[in-house]
Amino acid sequence: MTAFVPGMLPEEYEDLRAGVAKFADEEVAPVSAELDAEHEFPYGLVAKMGEMGLFGLPFDEEYGGMGGDYFALCLAIEEIGRVNQSLAITLEAGVSLGAMPIYRFGTEEQKREWLPGLTDGSGLGAFGLTEPEAGSDAGGTKTRATLDDGTWTVNGSKCFITNSGTDITRLVTATAVTGTRTSGSGGEVPEISTIMIPTGTRGFTAEPAYDKVGWNSSDTHPLTFDDVQVPEANLLGERGRGYANFLRILDEGRIAVGALSVGAAQGCVDESVKYAKERRAFGQPISDFQGISFKIARMEARVVAARSAYYLAASRMLAGMPFKKEAAIAKMIAGEAAMDNARDATQIHGGYGFMNEYLVARHYRDSKILEVGEGTTEVQLMLIARELGI
């Protein structure tokens, strides 16, 4: 097993990280405040990331990918998340939630049809799991799909779906109840499958975008399926394995969200160090005050711990070892680090930290969802406890 160690990356990974960091600093950071203020989806930056190959990092070259791996994707997400969480979640969701289910569970025909247009960044896929009454609770899924004469008819709704309503969204892969099955205890439980629904299909509506607290330049919509009809061949993976397959996708995604969270936490450290050295009070830089320097030191400690946690989870995943517990730990620790660092960075910046044009203010608004999305902190604790046998 190759264990990734912060600060000691193999050359190919370090070159990737440095290249994405340069892109983030020189091209993403200067326009991020305006994109956030205007709630504008960053089409130009997405196109640039496509040209850089970021959307294809973990996919085989035969499907238009870069032939890299999931850890490479995480490094890119971390560096972008350092300066713009909205853009980072666009990449994370487009790859690990949009394209990855097709890559993991699709037929060869499905992969060749859909992946090239997703791995090059010209199109985005979305992951339709959460509903008003269902997310972690699969039994609450209300969306239904019936199969008749080679056609699926889908009815229901989804909520909080990232990348689902852009001009370049190509499809949503949605969970739906397709029947019932007998559980291990002998009772009847929903049979949940996943079905690919291309945008533009009659009856598929991306409702008006949410008015969110943060991630203002990412795309998030509720979805409605009203007698949506797609071919039987649009079933993704084995019938009845939809939820189990999505759980695998979520385990991987938690590592990527952990990486995004580490980027946000690191961004707060960087901004706080810079500000504390420049801001003067009582005749000296505020970095000279122990109350400030200790706060920043604790912020840095959180970053190091969280980065180490997601590096470990990624190492185990790529080695083919069990990683569910490590992914849950990484996601939880990193999400909390991002939120704690954002709060401390805002405090260090004082009144300026409350102004939206400052990066730390955006991180303060953006970071809360990192303790909620792709499994709340409480869900991560449940998963960790379960993996411990309790």
Side-chain angles (χ1 to χ4, degrees), residues 49-339:
M49 290 194 300
E51 294 171 4
M52 294 170 65
L54 302 189
F55 284 93
L57 277 172
F59 302 112
D60 292 341
E61 294 179 11
E62 63 181 306
Y63 305 120
M66 299 295 290
D69 57 34
Y70 205 85
F71 181 62
L73 171 67
C74 289
L75 291 175
I77 291 171
E78 179 187 340
E79 289 300 334
I80 294 171
R82 181 171 51 83
V83 300
N84 187 320
Q85 291 190 43
S86 290
L87 187 61
I89 196 59
T90 299
L91 174 61
E92 190 277 335
V95 176
S96 79
L97 301 182
M100 192 60 73
I102 301 173
Y103 185 66
R104 294 282 186 225
F105 311 117
T107 64
E108 190 61 29
E109 291 76 15
Q110 289 170 337
K111 292 177 186 179
R112 294 194 180 280
E113 177 180 359
W114 290 105
L115 285 178
L118 302 177
T119 57
D120 67 1
S122 64
L124 294 172
F127 176 91
L129 173 64
T130 305
E131 299 184 5
E133 298 181 23
S136 303
D137 176 16
T141 300
K142 303 298 184 185
T143 299
R144 296 289 189 271
T146 57
L147 181 62
D148 183 45
D149 196 24
T151 298
W152 290 106
T153 300
V154 185
N155 284 281
S157 62
K158 301 291 177 179
C159 59
F160 312 135
I161 308 304
T162 304
N163 292 346
S164 59
T166 74
D167 292 345
I168 58 173
T169 301
R170 297 290 182 260
L171 82 161
V172 173
T173 300
T175 53
V177 176
T178 52
T180 59
R181 61 179 177 83
T182 302
S183 68
S185 60
E188 292 294 310
V189 296
E191 172 195 82
I192 298 178
S193 306
T194 52
I195 298 172
M196 297 185 298
I197 304 175
T199 55
T201 303
R202 184 186 297 274
F204 171 35
T205 303
E207 304 292 350
Y210 291 103
D211 183 10
K212 298 172 292 187
V213 170
W215 286 3
N216 286 334
S217 59
S218 80
D219 177 83
T220 320
H221 296 259
L223 306 178
T224 300
F225 308 128
D226 184 10
D227 283 338
V228 170
Q229 294 189 330
V230 296
E232 182 178 3
N234 281 31
L235 178 73
L236 182 62
E238 182 182 344
R239 179 169 176 168
R241 292 286 301 170
Y243 195 72
N245 290 344
F246 267 146
L247 288 179
R248 164 65 193 243
I249 294 298
L250 287 172
D251 285 339
E252 296 178 0
R254 286 174 183 130
I255 304 175
V257 173
L260 194 165
S261 301
V262 168
Q266 182 68 66
C268 289
V269 172
D270 296 345
E271 292 299 304
S272 295
V273 169
K274 177 182 176 182
Y275 183 80
K277 288 180 177 180
E278 295 175 349
R279 175 75 164 89
R280 298 181 66 84
F282 305 102
Q284 58 188 310
I286 65 171
S287 59
D288 289 350
F289 297 110
Q290 201 170 72
I292 298 295
S293 64
F294 278 16
K295 194 180 293 288
I296 296 175
R298 191 173 294 278
M299 292 166 64
E300 174 68 6
R302 292 184 192 122
V303 171
V304 171
R307 183 177 288 120
S308 297
Y310 102 70
Y311 275 32
L312 172 62
S315 298
R316 291 180 64 88
M317 173 189 166
L318 295 184
M321 300 172 65
F323 66 94
K324 181 185 290 289
K325 180 182 70 175
E326 289 75 16
I329 291 171
K331 198 272 181 184
M332 182 185 72
I333 290 177
E336 291 180 345
M339 191 67 246

